[in-house]
């Protein structure tokens, strides 16, 4: 079974650097990824089209600049982008299509697939390949995820899948969910892992064994929180398991070296906060904001993550971080 690799280094990686990648950084990595034969390169603000803001973080470049820069650097690879309804709009999709996007992923919270219906329908009408992605997918049962994925297919998605947005899964969790979605939809199924508990490669392998044919991975694991599935490790692992990707090994390793030199001050690591984020099931992209607010309010960021987990915080609820930190600070003062 051939596995198609999607590389969101230039989208998810933005979380790790405050969305501050510049045009030369984007161009350098995109050229290396294209030379390696990586089939799909995803680009944009970490939270997707239209998300550059005070709440989610202002990007150095506009969505238009990012897409135009990367499109020009990909003579062979296809270009993808990502959008969350509420952050982005149909106008953002129209702009992206005009700038040569080949694939658009519409993401929603794992129980809110209905929110993607209008945007998936619009993309289908335009003849653009659209995929539906369920975020924070550990918060729903396999049966519920399968039902939500089926809604995405009915709305126009030609592939569907899940993001382990908090890096919370173990392989058996992935197996159950991918199997349920595959059986319920009959379209290609995708998996996007994070590495908070050190399980991103194992979880991606579990996804493939359960029938997923589209797997996300980032160079050097460059991504939110403890990072994503490490691309230059995943591809040779899949090849050893008998799943060809069509990616050139030396070119892939060269691209990873470019990413290490050009994109990141240091590769992502699984630090104590990352582990707690994974255990608590909290969106990995909250890490920077949690650290800043916890430091300001004089509270333990690990306590903030566990409380966010108890409150079932999801992406887009960044303001809740401040509320939690203030509540913890007040609780400490009262004792």
């Amino acid at each position: 079974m051939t596995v198609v690799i999607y590389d969101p280094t230039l989208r998810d990686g933005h979380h790790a650097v405050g969305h501050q990648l510049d045009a030369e950084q984007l161009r350098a990595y995109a050229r290396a990824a294209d030379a390696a034969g990586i089939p799909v390169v995803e680009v944009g603000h970490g939270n997707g089209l239209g998300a550059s803001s005070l709440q989610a973080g202002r990007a150095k470049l506009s969505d238009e600049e990012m897409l135009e820069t990367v499109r020009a650097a990909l003579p062979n690879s296809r270009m993808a982008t990502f959008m969350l309804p509420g952050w982005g709009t149909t106008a953002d999709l129209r702009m992206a299509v005009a700038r040569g996007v080949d694939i658009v992923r519409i993401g929603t919270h794992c129980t809110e697939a209905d929110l993607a219906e209008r945007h998936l329908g619009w993309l289908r009408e335009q003849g653009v390949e659209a995929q539906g992605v369920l975020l924070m997918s550990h918060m729903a049962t396999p049966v519920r995820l399968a039902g939500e994925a089926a809604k995405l297919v009915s709305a126009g998605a030609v592939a569907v899948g899940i993001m382990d947005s908090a890096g919370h899964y173990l392989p058996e969790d992935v197996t159950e969910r991918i199997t349920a979605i595959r059986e319920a939809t009959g379209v290609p199924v995708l998996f996007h892992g994070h590495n908070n508990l050190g399980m991103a490669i194992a979880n991606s392998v579990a996804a493939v064994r359960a029938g997923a044919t589209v797997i996300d991975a980032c160079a050097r694991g460059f991504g939110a929180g403890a990072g994503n599935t490490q691309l230059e490790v995943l591809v040779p692992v899949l090849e050893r398991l008998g799943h060809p990707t069509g990616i050139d090994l030396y070119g892939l390793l060269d691209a990873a070296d470019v990413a290490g030199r050009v994109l990141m001050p240091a590769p992502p690591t699984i630090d104590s906060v990352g582990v707690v984020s994974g255990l608590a099931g909290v969106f990995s992209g909250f890490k920077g904001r949690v650290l800043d607010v916890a430091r300001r309010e004089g509270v333990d960021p690990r306590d903030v993550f566990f409380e966010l987990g108890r409150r079932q915080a999801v992406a887009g609820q960044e303001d809740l971080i401040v509320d939690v930190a203030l509540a913890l600070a007040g609780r400490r003062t009262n004792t």
Side-chain angles (χ1 to χ4, degrees):
M1 182 178 70
T2 299
V3 175
V4 181
I5 298 296
Y6 279 53
D7 179 357
T9 299
L10 298 180
R11 198 272 302 167
D12 212 324
H14 256 123
H15 287 294
V17 290
H19 313 284
Q20 294 304 295
L21 296 178
D22 62 30
E24 190 49 48
Q25 289 172 300
L26 296 177
R27 187 178 298 112
Y29 181 74
R31 285 173 174 166
D34 187 85
I38 294 171
V40 181
V41 176
E42 185 176 299
V43 61
H45 185 281
N47 287 35
L49 294 172
S52 181
S53 62
L54 289 176
Q55 183 181 11
R58 289 203 178 279
K60 175 169 285 190
L61 302 177
S62 68
D63 292 336
E64 293 91 331
E65 290 171 313
M66 285 189 268
L67 294 172
E68 289 171 356
T69 298
V70 173
R71 177 72 280 168
L74 297 178
N76 303 298
S77 300
R78 303 176 78 196
M79 183 171 72
T81 196
F82 176 75
M83 194 187 85
L84 294 167
W87 288 117
T89 66
T90 302
D92 294 303
L93 294 178
R94 186 176 294 110
M95 176 279 298
V97 172
R99 280 156 180 80
V101 163
D102 299 296
I103 302 162
V104 178
R105 286 176 158 178
I106 303 296
T108 71
H109 182 61
C110 59
T111 58
E112 298 176 352
D114 291 340
L115 296 179
E117 181 177 357
R118 178 162 58 91
H119 300 299
L120 288 171
W122 185 87
L123 290 165
R124 179 170 55 184
E125 291 172 0
Q126 307 307 308
V128 177
E129 182 175 335
Q131 301 180 357
V133 188
L134 300 171
L135 280 63
M136 298 296 287
S137 57
H138 69 280
M139 299 177 75
T141 67
V143 172
R144 180 65 186 272
L145 289 173
E148 296 296 316
K151 293 179 185 177
L152 295 172
V153 174
S154 296
V158 299
V160 293
I162 55 176
M163 288 191 177
D164 182 15
S165 311
H168 184 72
Y169 281 145
L170 299 177
E172 53 266 35
D173 302 319
V174 177
T175 298
E176 292 174 350
R177 285 159 173 80
I178 295 297
T179 299
I181 293 169
R182 180 177 54 79
E183 292 176 350
T185 61
V187 300
V189 178
L190 65 95
F191 178 73
H192 173 109
H194 280 262
N195 204 39
N196 295 65
L197 301 181
M199 302 302 294
I201 294 288
N203 286 339
S204 297
V205 169
V208 171
R209 286 177 166 164
T213 56
V214 178
I215 303 293
D216 287 8
C218 295
R220 292 284 192 272
F222 190 45
N228 292 61
T229 307
Q230 194 165 339
L231 177 60
E232 67 277 12
V233 177
L234 176 67
V235 168
V237 166
L238 291 176
E239 296 277 353
R240 284 199 63 190
L241 291 171
H243 300 291
T245 65
I247 297 171
D248 176 70
L249 176 61
Y250 280 16
L252 175 66
L253 297 174
D254 290 343
D257 290 341
V258 169
R261 286 196 311 271
V262 173
L263 300 182
M264 60 194 82
T269 59
I270 306 174
D271 58 18
S272 60
V273 172
V275 171
V276 170
S277 172
L279 289 173
V282 176
F283 174 48
S284 297
F286 280 4
K287 180 180 178 180
R289 180 70 168 153
V290 167
L291 290 174
D292 290 343
V293 172
R295 189 180 304 112
R296 187 182 72 208
E297 301 302 331
V299 297
D300 191 322
R302 296 169 296 186
D303 291 338
V304 176
F305 268 115
F306 276 126
E307 182 60 26
L308 288 168
R310 280 188 283 270
R311 298 191 188 194
Q312 295 193 310
V314 300
Q317 292 183 312
E318 283 81 358
D319 290 346
L320 189 57
I321 297 169
V322 177
D323 295 341
V324 166
L326 289 173
L328 290 171
R331 194 179 305 163
R332 186 192 59 193
T333 301
N334 292 334
T335 58

Short mmCIF file of all heavy atoms in Angstrom, two decimals, residues 55-82:
data_model
loop_
_atom_site.label_atom_id
_atom_site.label_comp_id
_atom_site.label_asym_id
_atom_site.label_seq_id
_atom_site.Cartn_x
_atom_site.Cartn_y
_atom_site.Cartn_z
N GLN A 55 -5.19 37.33 19.07
CA GLN A 55 -5.56 36.17 19.87
C GLN A 55 -4.72 34.94 19.52
O GLN A 55 -4.19 34.25 20.39
CB GLN A 55 -7.04 35.82 19.69
CG GLN A 55 -7.50 34.65 20.56
CD GLN A 55 -8.96 34.31 20.35
OE1 GLN A 55 -9.60 34.80 19.42
NE2 GLN A 55 -9.50 33.46 21.21
N ALA A 56 -4.58 34.66 18.23
CA ALA A 56 -3.87 33.45 17.79
C ALA A 56 -2.41 33.72 17.46
O ALA A 56 -1.64 32.78 17.28
CB ALA A 56 -4.56 32.86 16.57
N GLY A 57 -2.01 34.99 17.38
CA GLY A 57 -0.66 35.35 17.00
C GLY A 57 -0.61 35.95 15.61
O GLY A 57 -1.12 35.35 14.67
N ARG A 58 0.00 37.12 15.51
CA ARG A 58 0.11 37.77 14.20
C ARG A 58 1.30 37.21 13.43
O ARG A 58 2.42 37.16 13.93
CB ARG A 58 0.26 39.28 14.37
CG ARG A 58 -1.02 39.96 14.85
CD ARG A 58 -1.02 41.43 14.49
NE ARG A 58 -2.25 42.10 14.90
CZ ARG A 58 -3.38 42.05 14.22
NH1 ARG A 58 -3.43 41.38 13.08
NH2 ARG A 58 -4.45 42.68 14.65
N ALA A 59 1.06 36.80 12.22
CA ALA A 59 2.12 36.25 11.37
C ALA A 59 2.96 37.38 10.78
O ALA A 59 2.48 38.50 10.59
CB ALA A 59 1.52 35.41 10.25
N LYS A 60 4.21 37.06 10.48
CA LYS A 60 5.09 38.05 9.85
C LYS A 60 4.60 38.38 8.45
O LYS A 60 4.67 39.54 8.01
CB LYS A 60 6.52 37.52 9.80
CG LYS A 60 7.49 38.43 9.06
CD LYS A 60 8.93 38.01 9.25
CE LYS A 60 9.42 38.40 10.64
NZ LYS A 60 10.88 38.22 10.77
N LEU A 61 4.10 37.37 7.73
CA LEU A 61 3.63 37.55 6.37
C LEU A 61 2.12 37.37 6.30
O LEU A 61 1.54 36.64 7.10
CB LEU A 61 4.29 36.54 5.43
CG LEU A 61 5.82 36.54 5.36
CD1 LEU A 61 6.29 35.43 4.42
CD2 LEU A 61 6.36 37.88 4.91
N SER A 62 1.49 37.98 5.32
CA SER A 62 0.07 37.76 5.08
C SER A 62 -0.13 36.37 4.48
O SER A 62 0.80 35.75 3.95
CB SER A 62 -0.49 38.82 4.13
OG SER A 62 0.07 38.66 2.84
N ASP A 63 -1.36 35.88 4.53
CA ASP A 63 -1.67 34.61 3.88
C ASP A 63 -1.30 34.65 2.40
O ASP A 63 -0.74 33.69 1.86
CB ASP A 63 -3.17 34.30 4.01
CG ASP A 63 -3.59 34.00 5.43
OD1 ASP A 63 -2.74 33.59 6.24
OD2 ASP A 63 -4.79 34.18 5.73
N GLU A 64 -1.59 35.77 1.75
CA GLU A 64 -1.29 35.90 0.33
C GLU A 64 0.21 35.77 0.07
O GLU A 64 0.64 35.06 -0.86
CB GLU A 64 -1.79 37.25 -0.20
CG GLU A 64 -3.29 37.40 -0.20
CD GLU A 64 -3.82 38.02 1.09
OE1 GLU A 64 -3.18 37.85 2.15
OE2 GLU A 64 -4.88 38.67 1.01
N GLU A 65 1.01 36.45 0.88
CA GLU A 65 2.46 36.40 0.69
C GLU A 65 3.01 34.99 0.89
O GLU A 65 3.89 34.53 0.15
CB GLU A 65 3.15 37.37 1.64
CG GLU A 65 2.90 38.84 1.32
CD GLU A 65 3.41 39.76 2.41
OE1 GLU A 65 3.13 39.50 3.60
OE2 GLU A 65 4.09 40.75 2.07
N MET A 66 2.49 34.30 1.90
CA MET A 66 2.96 32.94 2.16
C MET A 66 2.65 32.02 0.99
O MET A 66 3.51 31.27 0.52
CB MET A 66 2.34 32.40 3.46
CG MET A 66 2.95 32.99 4.72
SD MET A 66 2.38 32.15 6.22
CE MET A 66 0.99 33.17 6.65
N LEU A 67 1.42 32.08 0.52
CA LEU A 67 1.01 31.19 -0.57
C LEU A 67 1.76 31.51 -1.86
O LEU A 67 2.21 30.59 -2.56
CB LEU A 67 -0.49 31.31 -0.79
CG LEU A 67 -1.37 30.80 0.36
CD1 LEU A 67 -2.82 31.14 0.10
CD2 LEU A 67 -1.21 29.30 0.57
N GLU A 68 1.91 32.77 -2.19
CA GLU A 68 2.61 33.14 -3.42
C GLU A 68 4.08 32.72 -3.36
O GLU A 68 4.64 32.23 -4.35
CB GLU A 68 2.50 34.64 -3.64
CG GLU A 68 1.09 35.09 -4.04
CD GLU A 68 0.94 36.60 -4.05
OE1 GLU A 68 1.91 37.30 -3.67
OE2 GLU A 68 -0.14 37.07 -4.45
N THR A 69 4.71 32.90 -2.20
CA THR A 69 6.13 32.55 -2.06
C THR A 69 6.34 31.05 -2.24
O THR A 69 7.23 30.61 -2.98
CB THR A 69 6.64 32.97 -0.67
OG1 THR A 69 6.53 34.40 -0.54
CG2 THR A 69 8.09 32.55 -0.46
N VAL A 70 5.53 30.26 -1.58
CA VAL A 70 5.71 28.81 -1.63
C VAL A 70 5.28 28.25 -2.99
O VAL A 70 5.94 27.35 -3.54
CB VAL A 70 4.96 28.13 -0.48
CG1 VAL A 70 4.98 26.62 -0.61
CG2 VAL A 70 5.57 28.55 0.86
N ARG A 71 4.20 28.77 -3.56
CA ARG A 71 3.76 28.30 -4.87
C ARG A 71 4.88 28.42 -5.90
O ARG A 71 5.11 27.49 -6.71
CB ARG A 71 2.54 29.10 -5.32
CG ARG A 71 1.99 28.77 -6.70
CD ARG A 71 1.29 27.43 -6.76
NE ARG A 71 2.19 26.28 -6.88
CZ ARG A 71 1.81 25.02 -6.72
NH1 ARG A 71 0.56 24.71 -6.44
NH2 ARG A 71 2.69 24.05 -6.83
N ALA A 72 5.60 29.53 -5.87
CA ALA A 72 6.67 29.76 -6.83
C ALA A 72 7.85 28.81 -6.62
O ALA A 72 8.65 28.59 -7.53
CB ALA A 72 7.16 31.20 -6.75
N ALA A 73 7.96 28.24 -5.41
CA ALA A 73 9.09 27.36 -5.09
C ALA A 73 8.75 25.89 -5.25
O ALA A 73 9.58 25.03 -4.94
CB ALA A 73 9.55 27.64 -3.66
N LEU A 74 7.55 25.57 -5.73
CA LEU A 74 7.11 24.18 -5.87
C LEU A 74 6.75 23.86 -7.32
O LEU A 74 5.57 23.73 -7.67
CB LEU A 74 5.88 23.92 -4.98
CG LEU A 74 6.03 24.07 -3.46
CD1 LEU A 74 4.69 23.83 -2.79
CD2 LEU A 74 7.09 23.11 -2.92
N PRO A 75 7.74 23.69 -8.18
CA PRO A 75 7.41 23.34 -9.56
C PRO A 75 6.83 21.93 -9.71
O PRO A 75 6.16 21.64 -10.71
CB PRO A 75 8.76 23.45 -10.28
CG PRO A 75 9.78 23.28 -9.20
CD PRO A 75 9.18 23.90 -7.98
N ASN A 76 7.07 21.07 -8.74
CA ASN A 76 6.62 19.68 -8.84
C ASN A 76 5.61 19.29 -7.76
O ASN A 76 4.61 18.63 -8.05
CB ASN A 76 7.82 18.74 -8.78
CG ASN A 76 8.85 19.03 -9.85
OD1 ASN A 76 8.56 18.93 -11.03
ND2 ASN A 76 10.05 19.42 -9.45
N SER A 77 5.87 19.66 -6.54
CA SER A 77 5.00 19.28 -5.42
C SER A 77 3.70 20.06 -5.47
O SER A 77 3.65 21.20 -5.96
CB SER A 77 5.69 19.54 -4.09
OG SER A 77 6.89 18.81 -3.98
N ARG A 78 2.65 19.46 -4.95
CA ARG A 78 1.38 20.16 -4.82
C ARG A 78 1.39 21.00 -3.54
O ARG A 78 2.09 20.67 -2.58
CB ARG A 78 0.23 19.15 -4.78
CG ARG A 78 0.19 18.23 -5.98
CD ARG A 78 -0.90 17.19 -5.86
NE ARG A 78 -2.21 17.76 -6.17
CZ ARG A 78 -3.36 17.19 -5.87
NH1 ARG A 78 -3.39 16.04 -5.21
NH2 ARG A 78 -4.50 17.74 -6.21
N MET A 79 0.61 22.07 -3.55
CA MET A 79 0.55 22.95 -2.40
C MET A 79 -0.82 22.84 -1.73
O MET A 79 -1.86 22.86 -2.39
CB MET A 79 0.80 24.42 -2.79
CG MET A 79 0.83 25.37 -1.59
SD MET A 79 1.38 27.04 -2.01
CE MET A 79 -0.04 27.67 -2.92
N ALA A 80 -0.79 22.70 -0.41
CA ALA A 80 -2.02 22.62 0.38
C ALA A 80 -2.07 23.76 1.37
O ALA A 80 -1.04 24.35 1.73
CB ALA A 80 -2.10 21.28 1.12
N THR A 81 -3.26 24.06 1.83
CA THR A 81 -3.42 25.00 2.93
C THR A 81 -4.56 24.51 3.82
O THR A 81 -5.23 23.52 3.50
CB THR A 81 -3.67 26.44 2.42
OG1 THR A 81 -3.45 27.36 3.48
CG2 THR A 81 -5.08 26.60 1.87
N PHE A 82 -4.75 25.20 4.92
CA PHE A 82 -5.64 24.73 5.99
C PHE A 82 -6.51 25.89 6.44
O PHE A 82 -6.08 27.05 6.44
CB PHE A 82 -4.76 24.23 7.15
CG PHE A 82 -5.50 23.79 8.38
CD1 PHE A 82 -6.17 22.58 8.41
CD2 PHE A 82 -5.50 24.57 9.52
CE1 PHE A 82 -6.83 22.15 9.56
CE2 PHE A 82 -6.15 24.16 10.68
CZ PHE A 82 -6.82 22.95 10.69
#
